[in-house]
Every structure is written in structure tokens, then in C-alpha cells.
Amino acid sequence: MNAFRFQTVPTIVVESGAARRLGELLREQYPARTRLCVVTDGFLAQSGLLAPALDNLAAHGWDVTLIADVIADPPEHIVLEATARAVAARAEVVLGLGGGSSMDVAKLIAVLVPGGQPLQEMYGVRKVTGTRLPLVQMPTTAGTGSEVTAVSIVTTGATTKMGVVAPQLFADLAILDAELTRGLPRAATAATGIDAMVHAIEAYTSAHLKNPVSDMLAVKALALLSRNLLPACDNGNDTAAREAMLLGAMFAGQAFANAPVAAVHALAYPIGGIFHVPHGLSNALVLPHVMRFNAPAAADLYAELADVILPGTTGSAGAKTATLIAHLDSLVLATGIPRTLREVGIGEADLPRLASDAMLQTRLLVNNPRPVTEADALAIYQAAY
Ligand SMILES: [Zn+2]
């Protein structure tokens, strides 16, 4: 067996209704602290969904600074402004409460507040040098798995996305409350759920850091996600389906935090960066085409995943791979989200720019089971068009 290292968040609480006793849970975790910075987005802050959590925080003596201006694909200035507010509030604990963007910003606030290292020097793998503030994550979507990853994605400049990847970004505590995901609309449920499936698939086929623990988590994640995606889309109040999706997304997050994602994400980032297509949808648009491209190198692994999602599938590894891709295609079709780049407003003339931008994602492309050239990327976009 190849030597490997596996890291994850030390404490995980999975509890429906946990948000209603958030103050109590944080008091247990940090008995001597009081100043809490809650990082979320404007929609959640105005929705009333957070009110029970905020009430319970106050009841347990937490002095809360609410930073509610996180937007999707957060640009650098949002991160820096939020950090300045956390510094002014003398925050002692940071809580990310929302989708991937809110949790990603919370991670960066936690490492930026102690000071000493500018954000620009943190981009890349293991570039963060200092410590961080205590950090808690609480997702309101079942997709990014950001609550258990050590990655934070920032939009730099006009359209490019860069990642900070460092062990300091693992939180102390992740709290999963499926009640928080019940209000998520169908399209967002579908896109975030497919993102989580992509995390599991790419972790399982990751070129260098694939390991037995990530494999086990990816398999469990895919079983949960593939069976519960449509029930969660069809009935947003299906508690069992929502819980299964949240758990599956976390397992996938734990898997890819250690066996990193690859070309699906590398090709999805320019779609989000240039055209502001949500992350999960960007992944869904390129997924089947990247899998077809990868099949010559990854068919044996895809066949193992086909056995998980579609027990009883027969035939060669190539045949099982084709069945798996067709099944994933049919899942996406059934959710009703767009399936082509054209449907999200991308023109054929834009494809070369997407391909050249995708080549910048070297951090991800190195993990792909098959090397991707710019010509390959262009062909994949053309197939997705
Ligand atoms: Zn993703």
C-alpha cells in the first residue's frame, strides 16, 4: 500500500435542530470566549432562518458580530473588508454559516485576523505560515463540503479563481443541521448535490493522493447522494433525504480534502469565473464530458463506482463506465437544471478563452487521472456546448 496522510475536522456534530442550540454547543466548545464573528450572506441574514440560532447565541452569553455581506464566488475585497470588521470587533471565534462561499470567507478571516501574512501570499498549497482563530463551520447547503475541507476559493482580479489550501483551514468543529437545508430551492439542491457527487468521483480517481480512507468516504458519499438527490429535489421537506444529502456532501468533502479534485473542477472554474454560473451547475455541465475523456485512464475506477451507484451492472469496465455516465446524465436531466453551455448563455466563440483559463488551474489538473492539454480542454467544452 502507498503511504498516505488523512486529515479531517476533529469534532463533527450531526443533529437536526442543532442551530436552535448553537449558543450552547459553542459554549461547550469554547467555555472562556465571548466575542463571536458570524459570517453569512445577505439572503440568509434577511430570511429569518438564522433567528433561532442568534437568539440562542445571545442566551448563552455570546457577543455576536454579524458579517452578512458574503456573495457567491467572493472577491478579495469582500474577504479583506470582513477581516477588518472582525479585527475591529476583536473577534475570538469565527463561525461560517451558509454555503461554500460563507464558509470559505470564514476560514480566511480566521487565518488573517492574527495578522502578519497578506492574503496574496497565502494562495497555493501549504503557503499559510501562521495560526488561526478558533473556527466553526455550519453548512446550509449539501454540496461544497467546505465545512470539512482545508480549501478556500477566492475570485482574484476580474474573473480568475485562486485557492488557499492549508491545514490551518480545517475547522475545530463542524455542525450539520439538516433543518437549515430544507428551504433550499430545487435548482440549488440539484446543483449543490451534483457538486458533492463530483467531489466523490474526483477524489476516488485522484491521481496522486488517492487513499483508502478517502475511497471509503467517497463510496459512502456516492451511495447516499445518488439515492437521495431526486427525493430531496422533488420534496424539499423530505427530512430523511435532506439529512442523507448533508451527510453525503460531508463525506465527499472529507474524501477530497485528502484526495483532491481534478479536471471537472479545473474546467468548471472558468465557467463560474467569467460567466457567473454557480459552482455546482458549472461542474454538472462538464462532468459527463470530462468522464468520457478520462475513461481510457480511469475506466477501472469508474466501473467500481458504477457498482456502488448501480449494483448489478454487468459488462467490461468500459461498458460499466458508459452506463455510469449515462446514469449521471439522466440524474441531471431529471433535476431540470441546464445541461449545455449554450443554455447558460455561453457562446461558441467563448470556448477557446475557457480552455486557456482552465489551463491556469494547475493545482487541480495535476490530480487528473489523464493529462489534459489546452486542445483537450477545448474539445471537452465543445462537447459540453
Ligand atoms: Zn466543488
Side-chain angles (χ1 to χ4, degrees):
M1 186 190 299
N2 293 326
F4 71 95
R5 169 191 293 252
F6 185 88
Q7 272 186 295
T8 194
V9 170
T11 307
I12 293 165
V13 172
V14 180
E15 179 184 319
S16 198
R20 283 181 270 121
R21 57 184 210 94
L22 182 60
E24 187 188 339
L25 285 167
L26 296 193
R27 182 54 62 220
E28 273 171 33
Q29 182 81 19
Y30 307 112
R33 297 179 187 261
T34 54
R35 291 186 299 276
L36 173 71
C37 177
V38 176
V39 184
T40 188
D41 61 68
F43 175 79
L44 270 175
Q46 283 156 23
S47 70
L49 195 69
L50 306 185
L54 294 173
D55 287 350
N56 192 258
L57 285 166
H60 285 83
W62 289 100
D63 174 5
V64 172
T65 299
L66 191 64
I67 297 180
D69 47 11
V70 176
I71 53 173
D73 309 312
E76 275 180 329
H77 75 89
I78 293 276
V79 176
L80 298 175
E81 285 157 18
T83 302
R85 288 191 55 199
V87 168
R90 294 185 298 130
E92 296 174 296
V93 178
V94 182
L95 168 70
L97 178 46
S101 300
S102 293
M103 292 190 283
D104 280 11
V105 172
K107 289 172 186 175
L108 293 175
I109 293 172
V111 290
L112 286 165
V113 165
Q117 189 184 12
L119 177 56
Q120 283 81 1
E121 290 177 11
M122 292 182 176
Y123 294 119
V125 180
R126 291 182 180 266
K127 298 282 170 60
V128 178
T129 54
T131 56
R132 64 155 168 77
L133 287 182
L135 176 64
V136 181
Q137 300 285 21
M138 198 163 186
T140 59
T141 64
T144 67
S146 183
E147 68 276 13
V148 289
T149 72
V151 185
S152 180
I153 305 295
V154 180
T155 302
T156 54
T159 58
T160 325
K161 288 190 173 192
M162 307 252 309
V164 178
V165 187
Q168 289 94 328
L169 301 193
F170 280 117
D172 301 313
L173 170 67
I175 304 172
L176 273 64
D177 177 358
E179 278 187 14
L180 293 179
T181 68
R182 274 167 51 160
L184 204 62
R186 181 183 178 94
T189 301
T192 53
I194 289 160
D195 181 33
M197 294 180 73
V198 174
H199 296 156
I201 294 167
E202 294 213 283
Y204 199 80
T205 53
S206 200
H208 304 293
L209 297 173
K210 176 177 167 66
N211 66 81
V213 184
S214 287
D215 285 353
M216 186 178 68
L217 289 160
V219 162
K220 184 68 185 168
L222 269 182
L224 286 167
L225 296 164
S226 63
R227 277 166 216 157
N228 288 282
L229 180 70
L230 291 180
C233 286
D234 290 342
N235 174 9
N237 288 313
D238 182 335
T239 306
R242 289 294 194 187
E243 283 185 331
M245 292 300 293
L246 196 56
L247 199 59
M250 182 187 73
F251 289 155
Q254 290 177 303
F256 92 86
N258 295 278
V261 292
V264 179
H265 276 73
L267 270 68
Y269 278 136
I271 299 172
I274 301 170
F275 296 97
H276 304 290
V277 174
H279 173 72
L281 178 53
S282 304
N283 275 314
L285 291 167
V286 294
L287 173 67
H289 310 289
V290 173
M291 287 180 74
R292 270 184 210 106
F293 171 80
N294 283 346
D300 288 343
L301 297 176
Y302 287 152
E304 290 171 16
L305 295 180
D307 289 337
V308 172
I309 297 183
L310 303 159
T313 308
T314 54
S316 64
K320 285 185 176 185
T321 297
T323 306
L324 175 66
I325 295 170
H327 179 74
L328 292 171
D329 242 346
S330 72
L331 264 185
V332 173
L333 178 66
T335 66
I337 62 173
R339 291 170 69 224
T340 63
L341 298 179
R342 195 185 319 217
E343 283 174 82
V344 296
I346 297 174
E348 203 166 3
D350 299 316
L351 304 185
R353 183 181 173 201
L354 288 174
S356 79
D357 271 23
M359 287 299 107
L360 301 175
Q361 300 291 336
T362 50
R363 170 179 77 82
L364 303 171
L365 290 171
V366 294
N367 304 315
N368 204 54
R370 183 177 171 193
V372 183
T373 65
E374 190 168 337
D376 295 331
L378 181 60
I380 292 168
Y381 286 126
Q382 280 163 343
Y385 179 70

